[in-house]
Amino acid sequence: MKFTPDYTVIYSDEDIVVLNKRSGLLIAADRYDENAPRLDAEAEKEFGKLFAVHRIDKDTSGCVIYARNAEAHRNLSMQFENREVEKIYHALVLGHPMWETKKVDSKLLVDGDARHRTVLNQKYGKAAVTDFKNLGSCGKYSWIEARPRTGRTHQIRVHLQSLGISIVCDPLYSGNQHPVLLSEIKKRWNGDETSERPLLSRLALHAYQLTVTHPKTGEAMTFTAPYQKDMEATRKQLKSIFGADSLEKSEK
């Protein structure tokens, strides 16, 4: 079994650290599972004390930024609170959306049901806006770019669900947990189905890019997190077979 590192370093200086995390890691302490594996706890072994300034879902891979001191923490936290940070996510979804772009402006209520899911609630929910772009269809799948303008828990997943779209292998919001198998997308596949390993078997959502203002220099900085190995292998196979490539159509 191949070892998957918890993170790779995208950028670091005396004020900030930007990491590309694997799926399955919390980025900070969680009230529901105090013993769950955490990115900050692992990265602090390398960088010392880190301050969380935003969150991405445990099952989401990709770009996470931490502050390394109190001043940077205040500055970055305000940027996220004031919606000054540009966030771009990529998702592999089931189905073929008929739109090129779509804006979803639906209020969300966090922890709104017995499974601790976020739900649409126009009366009691908080404002939530996501801009979506269709990056291309690949057989029974499509690549979607998401730009959340707010930062509600599970926002992208719920807004896509509201459009009748589910992210591949979403354990909370998709009724289909079927992994991506090469045998099911490649016509001439000569492997052994009994021993086939999936290309992708976890939530197919990746925090691809983050643009912030550096807390000390004031410089606008854009950080890109390459796909994790499983999503990259899936992208390459889908591009080879169907021609659509999420990275070619994604902007910025």
Side-chain angles (χ1 to χ4, degrees), residues 13-73:
D13 61 25
E14 60 184 12
D15 297 292
I16 63 175
V17 172
V18 186
L19 305 175
N20 184 1
K21 87 170 186 78
R22 68 168 175 85
S23 173
L25 275 183
L26 293 169
I27 72 137
D30 180 80
R31 60 188 171 124
Y32 298 114
D33 188 354
E34 295 179 357
N35 298 316
R38 286 168 42 191
L39 176 63
D40 60 343
E42 288 302 310
E44 282 180 347
K45 297 174 184 177
E46 179 175 357
F47 296 101
K49 177 65 177 175
L50 297 176
F51 301 82
V53 295
H54 71 123
R55 290 179 181 268
I56 65 174
D57 299 344
K58 179 186 76 171
D59 295 322
T60 301
S61 58
C63 201
V64 178
I65 185 170
Y66 291 100
R68 299 189 70 179
N69 54 65
E71 184 177 344
H73 180 232

Side-chain angles (χ1 to χ4, degrees), residues 7-239:
Y7 66 88
T8 55
V9 181
I10 298 172
Y11 176 86
S12 69
D13 61 25
E14 60 184 12
D15 297 292
I16 63 175
V17 172
V18 186
L19 305 175
N20 184 1
K21 87 170 186 78
R22 68 168 175 85
S23 173
L25 275 183
L26 293 169
I27 72 137
D30 180 80
R31 60 188 171 124
Y32 298 114
D33 188 354
E34 295 179 357
N35 298 316
R38 286 168 42 191
L39 176 63
D40 60 343
E42 288 302 310
E44 282 180 347
K45 297 174 184 177
E46 179 175 357
F47 296 101
K49 177 65 177 175
L50 297 176
F51 301 82
V53 295
H54 71 123
R55 290 179 181 268
I56 65 174
D57 299 344
K58 179 186 76 171
D59 295 322
T60 301
S61 58
C63 201
V64 178
I65 185 170
Y66 291 100
R68 299 189 70 179
N69 54 65
E71 184 177 344
H73 180 232
R74 284 191 296 270
N75 185 293
L76 288 171
S77 295
M78 288 302 296
Q79 289 185 50
F80 278 94
E81 186 176 332
N82 294 333
R83 303 177 187 175
E84 297 168 352
V85 178
E86 180 78 24
K87 297 167 284 185
I88 298 177
Y89 289 72
H90 287 176
L92 185 67
V93 306
L94 291 163
H96 302 141
M98 300 305 293
W99 40 263
E100 287 297 315
T101 61
K102 179 74 74 172
K103 180 177 182 178
V104 179
D105 184 354
S106 299
K107 292 182 178 180
L108 298 178
L109 179 64
V110 175
D111 201 5
D113 69 9
R115 296 181 64 189
H116 305 296
R117 292 183 298 186
T118 298
V119 299
L120 270 65
N121 191 310
Q122 292 301 115
K123 185 175 182 180
Y124 298 109
K126 293 184 178 180
V129 180
T130 311
D131 292 320
F132 293 106
K133 179 181 178 182
N134 190 340
L135 299 178
S137 296
C138 320
K140 64 181 179 180
Y141 304 108
S142 296
W143 288 106
I144 299 293
E145 176 188 278
R147 297 186 183 222
R149 305 304 179 184
T150 48
R152 309 303 175 201
T153 300
H154 299 170
Q155 177 174 317
I156 293 171
R157 298 158 74 178
V158 181
H159 275 174
L160 279 173
Q161 185 190 47
S162 75
L163 296 173
I165 299 168
S166 59
I167 299 176
V168 169
C169 291
D170 187 335
L172 281 177
Y173 299 95
S174 171
N176 189 339
Q177 294 303 297
H178 193 65
V180 179
L181 297 170
L182 185 58
S183 60
E184 295 181 356
I185 58 176
K186 191 173 184 179
K187 290 183 178 179
R188 293 183 178 86
W189 185 79
N190 299 315
D192 181 0
E193 292 185 5
T194 61
S195 61
E196 181 183 8
R197 296 182 63 182
L199 291 172
L200 188 68
S201 58
R202 51 90 174 178
L203 177 70
L205 181 62
H206 183 72
Y208 178 63
Q209 207 163 73
L210 198 63
T211 299
V212 302
T213 300
H214 192 280
K216 182 172 286 185
T217 67
E219 175 188 2
M221 303 183 75
T222 297
F223 304 105
T224 301
Y227 288 2
Q228 300 284 301
K229 287 184 178 180
D230 53 2
M231 187 173 277
E232 176 65 6
T234 303
R235 181 191 70 84
K236 287 180 176 179
Q237 288 290 351
L238 292 175
K239 179 184 178 181

